[in-house]
Amino acid sequence: MAITIAIANQKGGVGKTTTAVSLAAELALRSLRVLLVDMDPQASTSSGLRIDLPPEGSDLYDVFFGKKTLSDIIIESPSMEGLFVVPASRDLVSLELEVGKRHGRELVLTSELKGVQASFDVILIDCPPSSGLLTLNALGAAQGVLVPLQAEYYALEGLSSLTKTIQFVQATFNPALQLFGVVMTMFDARTNLSGQVEAEAAKFFPGKMFNTRIPRNIRLSECPSHGLPICRYDPHSAGGKAYHILADEVVARMGWASNCNSGLVAVGNE
């Protein structure tokens, strides 16, 4: 059964989508079958892989209302063999209002993924920068949460809120949810600030920091305009090398999780 990881941070602009796309592509290069679910109405993950959004009436929005199944809308990436994508829908922006307080609304994605899990090794979910219904669905379906953390002071302010959201999901509808790890993004080793933010994050998430730091890198910024992940656009750039090493770390933690669960540590239990 696929290991499902939500890539989440309630602060925007921290590198969630870049991490989701780059990591998914790197895992696909390792001969894993990867499903990347774009839960953000901005649809940056989809456009960053040259995936056209499905026509109205045949997209992720319709899955939430039972008009389509997840398997109906999965598309194979044109640039990466073994990488499949559930494209976002811009209609998702109004989903919370339209679904209202319907029973089980947080578990729609969980139910839908059950029908496709056997076809994949890894499922990555790119969450929107909020703690709303879309993020709750992602956390409800996931076994682990990967947190991209920008190496800037304000990025630390959202950690407490994210931890509370994870604890809420654990206490209500997904007790198996665990913290998979925290990766520093937009890291600049030349500045004291990056080091200070990393040190504070290590105190907040003891033992859960990835060793890999994703640097600020212009090639990573250029990738979306070419519709290619960094491993296809410029794998030898600083950003490309960093995500390659991060993928090695992620694979190692997945192995621990699937074999003996020691790779996942419950939030608030340390």
Side-chain angles (χ1 to χ4, degrees), residues 93-243:
V93 71
S94 63
L95 183 69
E96 193 151 4
L97 290 174
E98 295 186 46
V99 171
K101 296 188 180 296
R102 189 177 70 189
H103 179 69
R105 64 182 188 148
E106 300 92 349
L107 298 173
V108 174
L109 185 61
T110 302
S111 177
E112 287 293 327
L113 283 177
K114 288 179 180 178
V116 301
Q117 279 179 326
S119 300
F120 299 98
D121 300 302
V122 184
I123 298 172
L124 299 179
I125 308 171
D126 184 23
C127 300
S130 72
S131 58
L133 181 59
L134 294 170
T135 296
L136 290 178
N137 261 268
L139 297 182
Q143 295 159 276
V145 185
L146 192 158
V147 183
L149 180 65
Q150 185 180 7
E152 294 187 2
Y153 174 76
Y154 286 118
L156 291 170
E157 295 186 344
L159 290 181
S160 178
S161 296
L162 177 61
T163 299
K164 290 177 181 177
T165 299
I166 294 173
Q167 290 173 336
F168 168 76
V169 172
Q170 288 173 325
T172 51
F173 53 89
N174 186 6
L177 181 66
Q178 307 289 313
L179 177 64
F180 187 76
V182 180
V183 58
M184 298 299 303
T185 60
M186 305 178 196
F187 193 90
D188 189 343
R190 300 169 298 177
T191 67
N192 290 330
L193 178 60
S194 286
Q196 290 168 357
V197 172
E198 183 178 37
E200 288 298 314
K203 292 178 184 177
F204 203 85
F205 296 115
K208 298 314 297 173
M209 303 296 294
F210 284 101
N211 293 323
T212 308
R213 302 157 176 170
I214 308 301
R216 288 190 178 275
N217 181 238
I218 187 63
R219 305 301 271 176
L220 285 173
S221 301
E222 292 171 351
C223 285
S225 63
H226 295 270
L228 294 170
I230 189 65
C231 66
R232 285 285 189 246
Y233 180 63
D234 191 349
H236 301 295
S237 64
K241 291 177 180 177
Y243 275 112

Side-chain angles (χ1 to χ4, degrees), residues 34-55:
V34 182
L35 178 63
L36 179 55
V37 183
D38 188 357
M39 293 288 285
D40 192 338
Q42 296 180 73
S44 297
T45 291
S46 304
S47 63
L49 287 169
R50 277 187 269 174
I51 302 291
D52 293 330
L53 297 189

